[in-house]
Amino acid sequence: MLGKKLVTAQKRGETRALCLGLGMVACSMMMYFFIGITIVPFYTKSVWTTETVCKVLKANIKDKVLCPNSEGSEDEDIFHYPCLQVWVNLTASGQEVMLYQTEDTLERNPKCSYVPSNSENSKEVKAQIETIASNFKKYQTFPCYYDPGGTQTNVILSRLYPPKGLLFTFLWPTLMFTGGCLIIVLVKISQYVSVLSAWQ
């Protein structure tokens, strides 16, 4: 009687462990799919893939020309802010090009090098942009990214999804997938050993 209870408990434990392993594998596959349709396209679409050194030529703030956050929207939805324009000397080609913070900055507003987040405090936004401009003037030389193919003549300060960041994004679903597969394999080995011992 006690042996039957132990066998039943063992089967229940194996079933639960098998369900856990299958659930982990299913969740990891869903995470892979989500990453593949959201982050990977942005990474592959980016043409600023080569790192070089940029030297600041000028960093100007146009106080009288306020840039809209988005074009084609209603006037009350437009967020105005001082337009910071940073021009750098590209070491790789020696050209004078405009610097943008990320790929998204160029899409949101090609006239400005930096697009702040929406804020109702205009003084805070202005102080933030002035601080960024002073940092560019203070640190004249810094790494940046350019397009080796020449389709984009401008440069960006940092990539939204660098290779290391993309690998780190795939790390967690990979660990979950590996753990799920390991649990399934261990359950199958346990079942095989149980059948083998019972046969003997």
Side-chain angles (χ1 to χ4, degrees), residues 61-63 65-66 80-84 112 114 125-126 129:
I61 298 177
K62 294 186 176 180
D63 290 324
V65 180
L66 301 180
H80 293 82
Y81 53 91
C83 183
L84 171 64
C112 303
Y114 173 74
V125 173
K126 185 178 180 181
I129 293 177

Side-chain angles (χ1 to χ4, degrees), residues 25-96:
V25 171
C27 289
S28 64
M29 297 304 293
M30 292 176 62
M31 292 175 66
Y32 278 129
F33 177 76
F34 180 75
I35 294 172
I37 63 175
T38 55
I39 298 179
V40 174
F42 285 103
Y43 174 79
T44 56
K45 189 174 67 173
S46 178
V47 295
W48 296 272
T49 56
T50 305
E51 185 176 350
T52 185
V53 177
C54 289
K55 184 178 181 181
V56 176
L57 298 176
K58 53 185 176 181
N60 301 325
I61 298 177
K62 294 186 176 180
D63 290 324
K64 296 181 180 180
V65 180
L66 301 180
C67 303
N69 187 23
S70 58
E71 297 181 358
S73 58
E74 298 296 331
D75 292 339
E76 59 269 15
D77 296 332
I78 293 178
F79 169 61
H80 293 82
Y81 53 91
C83 183
L84 171 64
Q85 292 183 344
V86 180
W87 294 87
V88 298
N89 183 17
L90 188 61
T91 306
S93 60
Q95 295 178 333
E96 181 180 340

Side-chain angles (χ1 to χ4, degrees), residues 90-130:
L90 188 61
T91 306
S93 60
Q95 295 178 333
E96 181 180 340
V97 296
M98 189 170 177
L99 174 73
Y100 295 94
Q101 184 185 12
T102 60
E103 301 95 330
D104 185 58
T105 307
L106 179 61
E107 293 182 1
R108 293 177 63 184
N109 194 340
K111 296 181 181 179
C112 303
S113 298
Y114 173 74
V115 177
S117 57
N118 291 357
S119 176
E120 296 180 358
N121 192 341
S122 58
K123 292 183 180 180
E124 181 180 344
V125 173
K126 185 178 180 181
Q128 181 184 10
I129 293 177
E130 289 177 350

